[in-house]
Amino acid sequence: MKKYIYSFFLISSTMVFSQDHYSGISTSNRVGILNVTINPAELPNLSKKFEVNIYGMSFNVANNKIGFSDFNSDKDFEELLFQGTSPVNARIDTDIIGPGFAMQLGKWGFAFTTKAYAKFDMVDVDPTIGNAITNNNLVLNTTLLNNPNNQRLSGTSYGEIGLSAGRTFFENDKHKFSAGVTLKILFPGSYSNFGLSQLDGTITQSLGNSYLTTNSPASLNIAYSGNLANSFSNFDDYSKSIFGGLNGLAGDIGFNYQLKSDTKYKLNAGLSIRNIGSMTFKDENNYNTSYTLNIPSSNPLDLSLFDNIDNLSEVEDILTNNGYLTTQPRNKTDFNVKLPTTVNTYVDVKVVSKLYVTAFLQQKLNKDRDNEQVTTPNIFSITPRVNLGFFEGYIPLTFHEISGTNVGLGFRLGGFYLGTSSMVTALISDSKQGDLYFGFRFGFL
């Protein structure tokens, strides 16, 4: 398990940080494929008759413990991550938009898109357990644990192909109403999950060793598939198996309203429900087993046994061989993982000529702590934007469920865009989030 923790620090120190993908540019009034990924009802509003997406990439990390100022600290990252008493929440998230095409035909719009995702999550992890695994405490210390929540370490990679259609249902000189849908064909790649809930126990630390006992049985879920069954500490294992076999379907549905003006619109509002669906992981080394964990005081668990662990099957071996798990065979089975269903709504208002302000809300409908659930954050952002046609600049102000308030900036020059939702905050204050995204697309006719 220690390698799971260290992999987080390694990736965090070599990547830029956040969780709000393509913040600012995805709600631009230069409507294209990025807008369609948020709301398929934007298809009839395409700025050009045809659009070709070449690439788009967003790298994100967010957490609730480590700020940018901590990079200058003498403390180790693991010590900073597990400081305090509040649960640790951290996300590493990569979103890649591949080749895509969209077109507008009269009242209709159509799009073909490709995307890939790679994620690593820490959800509601008790900092006491993290400290016990990563730090060597030479002083006798006893800590009581009573955490009913499901503490998760989870990794996911998958790809998708999207087929979208949108239509204008009503339009006159002042108003325009549109609706759209997207069918997503899913290609699950790799998955791993360690979920520990109802943990009531004690950690005893002495002379550099840490031991865990439980007062009552806890619930433990261990699941893995694809490359992440063999190793969860190497981020390359996520990227090597992003696209697996076709084994899942999902969908988006959206609605759009425009209050029109002589130049495009005065107000553009949208509502969508995204990622309604799930995917099934199938692999030769597919396992998904729910255990009862019981560690008696007469036989405490030495947490140093997890120091060099490289995969979840090794975790199962240690716990099983020491008699801590219910004696049942590992469940070699296909299993279903839900996508992060969200409600998204936004309003883009024209303040004066060339100046717009967008308010955007993303609200998840599922709980991150549930096993077999891909996570996503709740986000609210306000983005003032200047659009001069060929050039566009914007400053997103984001309120993030995990990392708090962040300020970023970005620009578009023709079809190229580059931005961040947190770099300004990172430079002037102690941001716990950062990110970078970039891409290129072009429209014609």
Side-chain angles (χ1 to χ4, degrees):
M1 295 302 291
K2 194 169 184 177
K3 283 194 176 183
Y4 227 150
I5 306 302
Y6 283 162
S7 67
F8 174 81
F9 303 127
L10 175 63
I11 298 167
S12 299
S13 61
T14 57
M15 293 172 61
V16 290
F17 294 63
S18 169
Q19 202 80 14
D20 186 8
H21 290 295
Y22 309 102
S23 178
I25 192 67
S26 61
T27 52
S28 167
N29 65 340
R30 188 280 188 202
V31 179
I33 285 179
L34 281 174
N35 304 69
V36 174
T37 62
I38 299 296
N39 186 354
E42 290 283 2
L43 271 169
N45 303 329
L46 289 175
S47 295
K48 298 291 185 179
K49 207 170 217 23
F50 301 97
E51 173 160 297
V52 177
N53 190 79
I54 304 301
Y55 66 87
M57 185 172 291
S58 177
F59 302 102
N60 303 318
V61 175
N63 78 99
N64 64 338
K65 295 286 185 173
I66 301 176
F68 270 80
S69 65
D70 292 322
F71 283 94
N72 297 320
S73 173
D74 294 332
K75 295 182 179 180
D76 294 332
F77 280 146
E78 58 265 34
E79 184 179 353
L80 293 167
L81 188 67
F82 297 115
Q83 63 188 335
T85 58
S86 60
V88 179
N89 284 278
R91 308 285 193 271
I92 300 175
D93 196 352
T94 301
D95 182 301
I96 302 170
I97 302 178
F101 176 75
M103 63 180 177
Q104 183 185 8
L105 296 174
K107 295 183 178 181
W108 286 90
F110 302 94
F112 168 84
T113 56
T114 58
K115 295 190 74 173
Y117 305 86
K119 298 170 62 66
F120 174 75
D121 303 310
M122 302 177 68
V123 181
D124 290 339
V125 174
D126 193 314
T128 305
I129 299 177
N131 265 318
I133 294 176
T134 60
N135 298 326
N136 296 319
N137 193 343
L138 300 179
V139 180
L140 178 63
N141 182 43
T142 300
T143 304
L144 300 179
L145 302 172
N146 189 0
N147 191 341
N149 296 329
N150 190 31
Q151 305 176 57
R152 295 183 66 199
L153 298 175
S154 179
T156 313
S157 65
Y158 65 99
E160 73 176 37
I161 292 177
L163 304 172
S164 304
R167 190 182 191 280
T168 299
F169 286 95
F170 174 82
E171 183 175 12
N172 60 20
D173 293 340
K174 291 186 177 180
H175 308 285
K176 181 179 181 180
F177 293 91
S178 304
V181 294
T182 297
L183 172 65
K184 299 180 179 181
I185 304 169
L186 305 177
F187 300 85
S190 291
Y191 182 78
S192 66
N193 184 73
F194 179 94
L196 178 62
S197 62
Q198 303 299 321
L199 179 61
D200 180 10
T202 303
I203 289 181
T204 303
Q205 297 172 282
S206 179
L207 301 178
N209 296 317
S210 299
Y211 300 92
L212 172 66
T213 60
T214 58
N215 299 323
S216 60
S219 297
L220 175 64
N221 174 261
I222 295 180
Y224 42 88
S225 177
N227 283 6
L228 295 186
N230 302 318
S231 172
F232 51 59
S233 61
N234 187 354
F235 200 70
D236 286 342
D237 290 324
Y238 292 75
S239 59
K240 288 178 181 177
S241 59
I242 289 180
F243 271 87
L246 195 168
N247 269 308
L249 293 174
D252 301 347
I253 183 171
F255 305 91
N256 177 260
Y257 165 73
Q258 288 189 354
L259 177 61
K260 297 168 64 176
S261 68
D262 294 335
T263 56
K264 208 163 178 81
Y265 60 75
K266 296 179 181 178
L267 180 148
N268 184 53
L271 172 68
S272 65
I273 303 177
R274 301 175 58 214
N275 294 324
I276 308 168
S278 62
M279 53 191 168
T280 301
F281 284 86
K282 296 183 177 182
D283 197 83
E284 291 182 357
N285 55 359
N286 235 50
Y287 289 91
N288 182 13
T289 313
S290 294
Y291 297 100
T292 297
L293 175 69
N294 187 26
I295 308 172
S297 56
S298 58
N299 182 27
L301 170 61
D302 184 355
L303 295 177
S304 67
L305 295 174
F306 299 120
D307 280 357
N308 297 310
I309 292 302
D310 194 47
N311 59 65
L312 290 178
S313 64
E314 294 181 28
V315 174
E316 285 178 296
D317 288 339
I318 290 174
L319 297 176
T320 301
N321 294 338
N322 285 277
Y324 300 133
L325 298 180
T326 51
T327 55
Q328 66 180 65
R330 295 176 188 175
N331 191 15
K332 187 178 177 69
T333 181
D334 302 336
F335 55 87
N336 202 50
V337 175
K338 295 179 181 178
L339 263 61
T341 305
T342 60
V343 173
N344 299 267
T345 185
Y346 56 89
V347 177
D348 187 38
V349 179
K350 180 180 179 180
V351 180
V352 294
S353 179
K354 311 298 183 182
L355 176 62
Y356 296 80
V357 176
T358 304
F360 172 82
L361 173 68
Q362 173 178 289
Q363 176 66 50
K364 61 190 171 189
L365 299 182
N366 303 331
K367 297 178 180 179
D368 288 345
R369 64 175 179 266
D370 291 345
N371 293 317
E372 301 173 5
Q373 171 68 57
V374 179
T375 69
T376 195
N378 293 323
I379 295 170
F380 176 71
S381 65
I382 299 175
T383 305
R385 183 176 65 256
V386 174
N387 192 335
L388 303 179
F390 190 76
F391 174 81
E392 181 178 1
Y394 46 90
I395 303 176
L397 169 63
T398 305
F399 304 92
H400 192 281
E401 175 187 13
I402 295 174
S403 60
T405 302
N406 295 278
V407 179
L409 54 87
F411 72 91
R412 174 183 60 82
L413 189 63
F416 175 78
Y417 56 89
L418 173 68
T420 168
S421 61
S422 57
M423 192 55 67
V424 173
T425 316
L427 293 174
I428 63 176
S429 66
D430 195 20
S431 174
K432 294 181 176 63
Q433 173 180 322
D435 71 296
L436 180 70
Y437 62 80
F438 55 91
F440 180 75
R441 71 272 174 86
F442 64 91
F444 56 95
L445 298 184

